[in-house]
Amino acid sequence: SMGNIDATSTTSTTEPRLGGTVYAVGESVMLGAKNALEAGGVVVDAEKSRQGTAIAEIIERMRAEGIIENVIVIQTGTNGPVSKDTFDRIMKVLPAETTPLVVFLTVRAPRAWIDPNNELIRALPDEYPNVRVLDWAVESDAIESELSRSDGGIHLATRAAMQYYANLVFDAIERPELKIE
């Protein structure tokens, strides 16, 4: 129970709001961090080669099944263009009243659709106040040497990279205590 939180209290009131099971839905990049994320209690649904429409379908199904709680983490856009319509379709089932925090990661790959996808992702908070962007395209520069060589740095190649990705997610969902250095 939350106990009596007095209005002048410095206790953070966001914690209970963001409690509950956190789901993460994504593609092969997130799949690389599955073990590190799951070690922190995040439930991961990630598969290779997923497109944005497939991610939208999964999230719609999860919402229909009533399993999405207060926080969801989404990464889509590595494998092809994602339209604004697809992002809107995802957000239609993630209103702020039911899902106060939706974390979208940007994407990184040497592909033509990456910049347009990231532009749409970075614009989401302007329209949806419950969206927070975890800018993987920018944050991943810090561990460039830990990313896969064969495909131009799309995937997490080392345990350190996998943990770095997971730690960024734990910060974004306001659970820094889950981080492993």
Side-chain angles (χ1 to χ4, degrees):
S1 86
M2 284 170 56
N4 296 334
I5 295 177
D6 124 8
T8 58
S9 157
T10 54
T11 312
S12 164
T13 55
T14 59
E15 202 279 316
R17 199 178 77 120
L18 298 181
T21 304
V22 176
Y23 290 88
V25 181
E27 358 132 298
S28 60
V29 182
M30 182 182 284
L31 185 61
K34 184 180 166 95
N35 291 345
L37 288 166
E38 290 189 340
V42 173
V43 180
V44 178
D45 181 336
E47 268 177 32
K48 289 181 180 166
S49 309
R50 270 191 188 152
Q51 299 288 338
T53 48
I55 301 260
E57 279 161 28
I58 290 159
I59 292 168
E60 285 166 345
R61 190 178 69 237
M62 289 170 72
R63 171 58 78 208
E65 290 170 5
I67 62 173
I68 297 171
E69 296 184 36
N70 299 315
V71 181
I72 188 166
V73 179
I74 302 164
Q75 187 169 37
T76 183
T78 305
N79 300 314
V82 181
S83 67
K84 175 152 189 346
D85 285 348
T86 299
F87 285 113
D88 290 339
R89 185 179 152 191
I90 290 169
M91 289 310 298
K92 189 178 178 192
V93 294
L94 300 172
E97 310 80 73
T98 58
T99 314
L101 180 58
V102 179
V103 175
F104 271 94
L105 284 87
T106 57
V107 287
R108 171 192 189 109
R111 304 281 185 274
W113 55 77
I114 294 294
D115 287 348
N117 284 352
N118 283 342
E119 209 169 299
L120 288 172
I121 293 164
R122 290 178 183 129
L124 287 171
D126 298 338
E127 194 172 344
Y128 302 103
N130 56 330
V131 171
R132 174 177 297 167
V133 174
L134 195 181
D135 206 333
W136 176 246
V138 170
E139 298 286 350
S140 56
D141 283 346
I143 55 149
E144 207 163 350
S145 62
E146 309 275 340
L147 299 174
S148 52
R149 290 270 170 268
S150 58
D151 59 16
I154 301 173
H155 296 100
L156 307 169
T158 65
R159 285 185 74 95
M162 295 166 191
Q163 192 61 54
Y164 179 80
Y165 180 107
N167 285 349
L168 288 173
V169 170
F170 298 148
D171 270 341
I173 64 172
E174 298 182 17
R175 298 292 306 277
E177 77 281 4
L178 299 175
K179 286 162 69 169
I180 297 170
E181 291 312 324

